[in-house]
Amino acid sequence: SSGINAEYGDDVNACITLVVLDIDTLEIVINKSKMIKMKCEYIPGYLAFRETPHIAEMLRLIQQQSPQLYPDVLIVDGNGRLHQKQFGLACHTGVVCDIPCIGVAKNLHQINGCLRDESHKEAIKQLKEPGDTFLIRNADNTVIGCALKSTTASTKPVYVSEGHRVSLETACSVVRRCCKYRVPEPVRLADVTSREELRLLTS
């Protein structure tokens, strides 16, 4: 499994990190970072247009340099179908890169009837054991993601959604297998690395 994260120094400059792990041991197989410049401004709901070209480039580098280590699945720090157009970063990236892709967000994307209201907070309280979930539905009652309790210690869920070529059930299973802490290791390690690389490169 693999995770990717872009850490921004400002509106234009960022450090992007791709981490590939062995899903059975969660040992790092690849940890690659690169400074990038964003070519378009951020518009809410259209993050993919900023980040997907750079994610695609990182995956191309892995394919060229270490094809035997090319990931089977990519987890992005963002949403898939849990999006106002049901086509977030994980969907866009999966289609463009032709890779199974999963969206994992730390906060609920409040759109189309998906609200962090009292009923949502009550549902979170019912997540008792690691792997417990509840479905997220939009105003049309369509399932567009789920809240997942990823570890025993985590008091807040992560929000998992389908991106590309993966079911919601499989997405939750993969994310659960990748968790030592609340956020799945590929994304957590990509976040930690990109922050540190950005600090070193800009200090």
Side-chain angles (χ1 to χ4, degrees):
S1 65
S2 61
I4 196 140
N5 183 71
E7 185 68 23
Y8 291 82
D10 52 40
D11 287 342
V12 175
N13 298 287
C15 178
I16 190 168
T17 299
L18 174 68
V19 172
V20 180
L21 300 184
D22 181 318
I23 198 169
D24 294 319
T25 63
L26 297 185
E27 292 182 357
I28 296 174
V29 192
I30 290 175
N31 191 341
K32 184 177 287 292
S33 297
K34 180 182 177 182
M35 286 299 295
I36 56 175
K37 286 186 179 292
M38 295 299 172
K39 296 178 180 178
C40 59
E41 65 178 310
Y42 172 64
I43 300 172
Y46 294 90
L47 178 65
F49 290 92
R50 273 169 72 86
E51 295 193 356
T52 295
H54 300 288
I55 296 172
E57 178 58 28
M58 293 294 280
L59 288 170
R60 273 194 294 270
L61 287 174
I62 301 301
Q63 183 70 67
Q64 292 167 2
Q65 298 171 2
S66 308
Q68 75 281 9
L69 300 177
Y70 193 80
D72 295 319
V73 62
L74 178 67
I75 305 173
V76 302
D77 183 6
N79 293 295
R81 290 192 63 205
L82 211 172
H83 181 268
Q84 56 264 48
K85 297 187 181 296
Q86 293 188 42
F87 204 84
L89 177 63
C91 301
H92 191 121
T93 299
V95 170
V96 170
C97 301
D98 191 26
I99 186 172
C101 199
I102 299 167
V104 176
K106 293 183 280 293
N107 298 299
L108 177 66
H109 193 34
Q110 300 191 72
I111 41 91
N112 299 349
C114 302
L115 300 175
R116 199 173 186 281
D117 54 16
E118 288 307 313
S119 64
H120 184 85
K121 293 175 184 176
E122 186 58 37
I124 290 174
K125 292 178 184 177
Q126 302 308 310
L127 300 177
K128 304 295 186 185
E129 301 294 332
D132 285 355
T133 63
F134 66 84
L135 298 175
I136 306 293
R137 299 175 185 271
N138 65 11
D140 297 326
N141 205 36
T142 301
V143 174
I144 56 175
C146 73
L148 167 72
K149 182 176 175 66
S150 50
T151 66
T152 303
S154 58
T155 56
K156 297 179 181 179
V158 289
Y159 295 92
V160 180
S161 55
E162 301 157 74
H164 182 59
R165 287 169 49 195
V166 62
S167 68
L168 184 57
E169 182 180 0
T170 299
C172 286
S173 175
V174 170
V175 170
R176 176 72 188 90
R177 286 181 67 186
C178 289
C179 285
K180 288 183 179 179
Y181 307 100
R182 179 188 172 214
V183 175
E185 285 297 279
V187 171
R188 189 186 73 81
L189 292 170
D191 178 61
V192 169
T193 302
S194 58
R195 286 174 189 268
E196 181 61 15
E197 289 289 329
L198 185 66
R199 185 186 69 80
L200 292 172
L201 292 168
T202 57
S203 61

